[in-house]
Amino acid sequence: MVDNITSITEFILLGFPLGLRIQILLFGLFSLFYACTLLGNGVILGLISLDSRLHTPMYFFLSHLAIVDIAYACNTVPQMLVNLLKPDKPISFAACLTQTFLFLTFAVTECLLLVVMSYDRYVAICHPLRYSAIMNWRICITLVLTSWTIGVLLSLIDLMLLLPLPFCRFQKINHFFCEIMAVLKLACADTHINEIVVLGGAISVLVGPFTSIVISYMCILCAILRIQSGEGQRKAFSTCSSHLCVVGLFYGTAIIMYVGPRYGNPNEQKKYLLLFHSLFNPMLNPLIYSLRNLEVKNALKRVLGIERDL
């Protein structure tokens, strides 16, 4: 076994083994989606920074969600586009582990940011008179910094357990990016501890936070139903429905990937779910918030009106 162990310096990502024409078509399509992701989240960030009416805790959290979505896409999509045109182009060992670390960091951070955003909506609707006192800027900054810190620390644990592993098998990763479970399959040592840690981390940042979000929205629904004004109910539903759509997309795919039951060909299913998770989710989030949120629509109109006047 020791004689067969070689020092691997690079990997080859198999991506989507399709015909050349289909790969070129996917390259164009995914490039368009990638551009839309950057543009959509960039517009959200621009509106929040330019419009003083959006300088509130809710949009402060939304701006960090947009940053995470941009980082998500930039971490995985460019390498996937390269692989569609040059399937045999390798990725270095260091770049692969860096991609793994960043993906886990952004994934955990987004999980926690969605929890923070649900708590913000809970306080705003269930305790409106105390909202300014509870969600002050010191608390908001602390919540965001805590989300990022936990994301980095949990990812570091996985990375530190991954680094000592010897890789002596084929250098080909059956994925379009260096997803941690796909990388572990290439190790020639026992990876049970790594898999347990990854599963435990997934459960801790998916099931627990998702449960807290569900409880928060049950309380929010009860509070909305008690609102006498029809206009007040519509406004509350408008802000909450967009967040619920984002939560459903993110947690739904993530729970199926890491916690859900296995059937059929789980590796291929996980690959396509992760494609949706890392490419389509970041693109859809700004669309959901802009199409279903009246304040964002009005901010866009105000900014466009200022630009015309200039």
Side-chain angles (χ1 to χ4, degrees):
M1 173 66 75
V2 174
D3 293 336
N4 291 332
I5 295 177
T6 57
S7 178
I8 290 181
T9 59
E10 58 187 28
F11 296 106
I12 293 177
L13 297 168
L14 296 180
F16 304 98
L18 303 169
L20 179 61
R21 290 184 179 180
I22 297 179
Q23 286 185 325
I24 293 174
L25 176 63
L26 289 178
F27 175 84
L29 191 62
F30 290 167
S31 297
L32 178 62
F33 291 158
Y34 181 51
C36 290
T37 298
L38 299 181
L39 178 63
N41 286 285
V43 168
I44 292 291
L45 285 173
L47 289 176
I48 292 173
S49 62
L50 291 174
D51 197 315
S52 60
R53 300 185 192 184
L54 300 184
H55 293 175
T56 63
M58 173 182 171
Y59 293 102
F60 174 67
F61 299 137
L62 179 58
S63 67
H64 280 268
L65 183 66
I67 291 172
V68 171
D69 284 338
I70 290 173
Y72 234 136
C74 291
N75 183 48
T76 57
V77 178
Q79 183 65 47
M80 178 179 65
L81 295 177
V82 169
N83 287 343
L84 285 172
L85 294 182
K86 298 180 179 180
D88 295 330
K89 184 176 177 59
I91 180 173
S92 69
F93 182 77
C96 186
L97 293 191
T98 301
Q99 191 179 54
T100 301
F101 169 74
L102 291 176
F103 177 83
L104 292 172
T105 298
F106 300 142
V108 174
T109 302
E110 183 159 356
C111 280
L112 299 178
L113 282 176
L114 291 174
V115 176
V116 169
M117 293 174 73
S118 70
Y119 176 69
D120 172 72
R121 291 300 83 205
Y122 165 77
V123 176
I125 294 174
C126 297
H127 304 283
L129 299 179
R130 299 172 56 199
Y131 179 75
S132 298
I134 296 174
M135 299 302 295
N136 58 67
W137 283 111
R138 182 176 63 84
I139 294 296
C140 293
I141 293 172
T142 301
L143 289 172
V144 167
L145 287 177
T146 301
S147 300
W148 280 100
T149 302
I150 294 174
V152 170
L153 292 178
L154 288 180
S155 303
L156 272 177
I157 294 173
D158 289 321
L159 183 64
M160 296 309 293
L161 289 173
L162 182 62
L163 279 173
L165 293 176
F167 293 89
C168 56
R169 297 180 185 174
F170 298 107
Q171 300 174 352
K172 296 180 180 179
I173 299 176
N174 185 22
H175 222 293
F176 63 89
F177 79 103
C178 292
E179 194 267 336
I180 186 166
M181 298 303 288
V183 174
L184 286 175
K185 285 182 171 60
L186 300 184
C188 56
D190 186 6
T191 60
H192 281 97
I193 294 178
N194 300 74
E195 293 171 3
I196 290 172
V197 171
V198 171
L199 180 60
I203 292 174
S204 64
V205 300
L206 289 175
V207 177
F210 182 70
T211 302
S212 68
I213 290 175
V214 171
I215 294 173
S216 296
Y217 272 97
M218 288 175 64
C219 297
I220 289 172
L221 180 61
C222 293
I224 290 176
L225 294 177
R226 289 197 297 267
I227 297 176
Q228 301 296 325
S229 166
E231 181 63 27
Q233 285 187 343
R234 282 192 295 272
K235 185 176 180 181
F237 273 121
S238 174
T239 57
C240 292
S241 61
S242 57
H243 182 247
L244 273 176
C245 289
V246 172
V247 167
L249 285 172
F250 182 88
Y251 278 93
T253 54
I255 288 175
I256 291 173
M257 282 188 298
Y258 290 102
V259 186
R262 301 286 186 266
Y263 56 89
N265 189 344
N267 291 331
E268 290 300 313
Q269 292 168 5
K270 188 176 180 181
K271 187 192 298 186
Y272 288 102
L273 282 171
L274 269 171
L275 175 65
F276 182 88
H277 195 69
S278 58
L279 181 62
F280 295 101
N281 268 11
M283 181 185 68
L284 292 174
N285 286 353
L287 291 176
I288 292 171
Y289 276 105
S290 60
L291 292 176
R292 301 186 64 86
N293 193 308
L294 187 59
E295 290 180 334
V296 174
K297 290 180 182 178
N298 291 337
L300 181 59
K301 292 176 182 177
R302 286 193 293 270
V303 170
L304 292 177
I306 292 173
E307 290 178 350
R308 283 195 296 268
D309 292 337
L310 292 175

